[in-house]
Amino acid sequence: MALTARNVAHLRQGAVDIFLAHYDGTAKLWREQPWYNSSVKFSVEYKAAKVEFVHRELVDGENYNFDGYRWIWISDDNIDITGLNVKDYVRLADNSGAVIVQPAVDDTDNGVSSHEMLNVFRIRLPGIGRCAYRLTDFVEVMSPMFRPSALKIAYRTHLKGTASDWGMDNVWCHYVASQMALPQDKACAVVDATPMVKIIHGQSYEFYEGLLAFRHVRRNFTAYEARSMDTFMRRKPGHIEWCMPFNRSIGLVKLNFTTGGLMAGPAFISMELVSEYRFQRGLGVKEFLIGWTATRSFLRYHLSGVLIILTLLVFFYWASSWCLGSFPGLRPIQSAPLPGQTLEAPDPAIGPSDQYRRASGGRAKCGVPSSDVGCLVVLA
């Protein structure tokens, strides 16, 4: 709550309206805060995942209509934007011409790094300077800002009923561009001039559930996948971004990340090597941690039901053994001879089950529960 309260107070300085979605039954506590009524214009309360709130409230307009806004900014609760100049961010978003944007991630000090492309681009280009923003083909789900029309198109990639939004950001730049007739490499932007800070937090759903949602997106929107990154979300060699320097008179600068280094130059002008940019070719600690997390989540997701069944079977086996051992009435007993009938003496060479079968006319009967004759004991 403390981080959200600070973010709300900061956002109010930027002439924006605030919408809070309460999902954990604590809305009453929030509304008792002294800043709430004066700062929060819209709110809803019901149990749902973030992606469901977005779909129901911002896309379908279940309780409100937000079509009149220029931008809709959807942020996770572990994003710190108190150091971000909101007015500058919105101005640069407008200037970019993109329809989906996000602040770059400041991975210094208390910040946690994000995907390589989303971290603040710190390379100073000779004769050009730093980038105010970059046009890319990827904006992450953690804190995207949409034009309202782009938001409705982007969320067609969400499988309704799932709690995860994984994979949507891997296709929505190209998908929205195709639906809105925009250049494929200029529909999304990362704003470096106004970075945010990402704070560590836990997952609200299983890692593997996210992978299942990702599989749905890839299966249905393969043609629109981001071409800039590999499986581990690292830049691919040959990837191109467009940089707008702080000095806008220079115009867009093309960035080509090659195996020989970073090539850069103004549009339609020959490019030159400006940096010894290096790609990570092998798998590092981060990639192994991702693989381990995915494997552990996969096993927990698929084996939890199996383990429950095995536990029940072990319990039933133990309970049946205990019953047969503790209550003599549940065990087979030697029958008394009927009038005129003589019982044969047990033959040591014949097993107990064969003796029982011979005594019952050659047929094994399950009328008497007995582990000797292979009868099933069902405990209801």
Side-chain angles (χ1 to χ4, degrees), residues 29-98:
L29 177 63
W30 282 85
R31 291 178 178 130
E32 291 173 350
Q33 302 305 308
W35 51 267
Y36 192 97
N37 290 333
S38 61
S39 301
V40 179
K41 187 170 184 178
F42 309 101
S43 66
V44 292
E45 180 187 14
Y46 49 82
K47 189 171 182 59
K50 169 190 152 186
V51 67
E52 295 177 78
F53 277 116
V54 174
H55 219 140
R56 291 174 60 175
E57 303 299 335
L58 305 181
V59 177
D60 296 339
E62 190 170 300
N63 289 286
Y64 306 104
N65 187 326
F66 299 100
D67 290 343
Y69 286 86
R70 281 168 42 220
W71 292 100
I72 298 176
W73 188 0
I74 306 163
S75 187
D76 288 351
D77 58 5
N78 68 313
I79 300 299
D80 185 349
I81 57 174
T82 56
L84 178 154
N85 187 310
V86 180
K87 291 182 180 179
D88 283 351
Y89 174 52
V90 174
R91 175 179 57 82
L92 290 169
D94 286 333
N95 292 342
S96 73

Side-chain angles (χ1 to χ4, degrees), residues 123-130 250 253 255 262-266 272-275:
I123 297 177
R124 184 177 296 275
L125 306 175
I128 295 172
R130 294 274 299 275
I250 298 175
V253 175
L255 306 177
L262 173 61
M263 306 286 292
E272 61 181 23
L273 183 68
V274 299
S275 171

Side-chain angles (χ1 to χ4, degrees), residues 2 21 24 39 78 88 112 124 175 210 215 251 266 304 309 331:
D24 58 358
S39 301
N78 68 313
D88 283 351
V112 178
R124 184 177 296 275
Y175 181 67
R215 185 178 66 176
S304 58
I309 293 173
R331 290 179 293 183

Side-chain angles (χ1 to χ4, degrees), residues 348-362:
I350 301 177
S353 59
D354 291 330
Q355 294 177 22
Y356 182 80
R357 188 178 294 108
R358 178 178 294 178
S360 59

Side-chain angles (χ1 to χ4, degrees), residues 90-377:
V90 174
R91 175 179 57 82
L92 290 169
D94 286 333
N95 292 342
S96 73
V99 293
I100 309 175
V101 302
Q102 74 159 81
V105 176
D106 188 350
D107 57 343
T108 60
D109 299 328
N110 296 325
V112 178
S113 65
S114 185
H115 305 311
E116 181 184 11
M117 184 194 300
L118 303 182
N119 292 329
V120 174
F121 187 69
R122 304 185 187 281
I123 297 177
R124 184 177 296 275
L125 306 175
I128 295 172
R130 294 274 299 275
C131 299
Y133 60 80
R134 287 167 291 125
L135 296 172
T136 68
D137 69 349
F138 184 80
V139 164
E140 198 179 13
V141 295
M142 62 181 171
S143 192
M145 189 165 74
F146 298 86
R147 295 292 191 187
S149 55
L151 173 65
K152 293 185 178 183
I153 295 172
Y155 267 72
R156 294 175 191 168
T157 64
H158 171 232
L159 179 62
K160 279 193 173 183
T162 59
S164 172
D165 49 14
W166 277 21
M168 294 171 58
D169 51 9
N170 198 50
V171 301
W172 62 22
C173 289
H174 286 299
Y175 181 67
V176 169
S178 69
Q179 300 301 302
M180 298 182 70
L182 298 172
Q184 289 287 308
D185 57 348
K186 295 183 175 68
C188 290
V190 176
V191 182
D192 294 292
T194 56
M196 62 185 178
V197 175
K198 184 179 180 182
I199 309 297
I200 294 178
H201 78 320
Q203 285 290 127
S204 57
Y205 48 79
E206 277 285 355
F207 190 95
Y208 187 66
E209 289 182 82
L211 293 181
L212 292 177
F214 190 38
R215 185 178 66 176
H216 156 75
V217 174
R218 295 193 68 175
R219 180 184 299 152
N220 292 280
F221 299 92
T222 303
Y224 305 102
E225 284 189 300
R227 302 175 181 90
S228 54
M229 296 181 293
D230 63 14
T231 304
F232 290 99
M233 311 302 282
R234 302 172 302 192
R235 281 192 180 100
K236 288 181 180 178
H239 163 59
I240 291 176
E241 297 172 23
W242 294 91
C243 160
M244 175 57 75
F246 282 89
N247 182 0
R248 288 180 55 82
S249 63
I250 298 175
L252 283 175
V253 175
K254 188 176 183 180
L255 306 177
N256 188 358
F257 297 85
T258 72
T259 53
L262 173 61
M263 306 286 292
F268 310 112
I269 299 179
S270 60
M271 304 175 69
E272 61 181 23
L273 183 68
V274 299
S275 171
E276 295 184 356
Y277 186 88
R278 299 191 180 279
F279 293 91
Q280 182 180 343
R281 299 182 183 276
L283 299 182
V285 175
K286 180 179 178 180
E287 288 71 37
F288 278 111
L289 287 175
I290 292 173
W292 164 246
T293 303
T295 302
R296 185 179 59 182
S297 182
F298 171 85
L299 294 174
R300 185 163 55 233
Y301 185 90
H302 283 287
L303 296 183
S304 58
V306 175
L307 291 175
I308 291 173
I309 293 173
L310 289 175
T311 301
L312 290 174
L313 289 175
V314 170
F315 171 76
F316 287 146
Y317 175 79
W318 171 83
S320 61
S321 300
W322 180 81
C323 288
L324 292 174
S326 301
F327 299 98
L330 290 178
R331 290 179 293 183
I333 58 175
Q334 184 69 37
S335 301
L338 295 175
Q341 180 185 16
T342 58
L343 294 178
E344 298 180 8
D347 187 343
I350 301 177
S353 59
D354 291 330
Q355 294 177 22
Y356 182 80
R357 188 178 294 108
R358 178 178 294 178
S360 59
R363 297 182 304 276
K365 299 180 180 179
C366 288
V368 180
S370 170
S371 57
D372 289 337
V373 295
C375 292
L376 179 66
V377 177

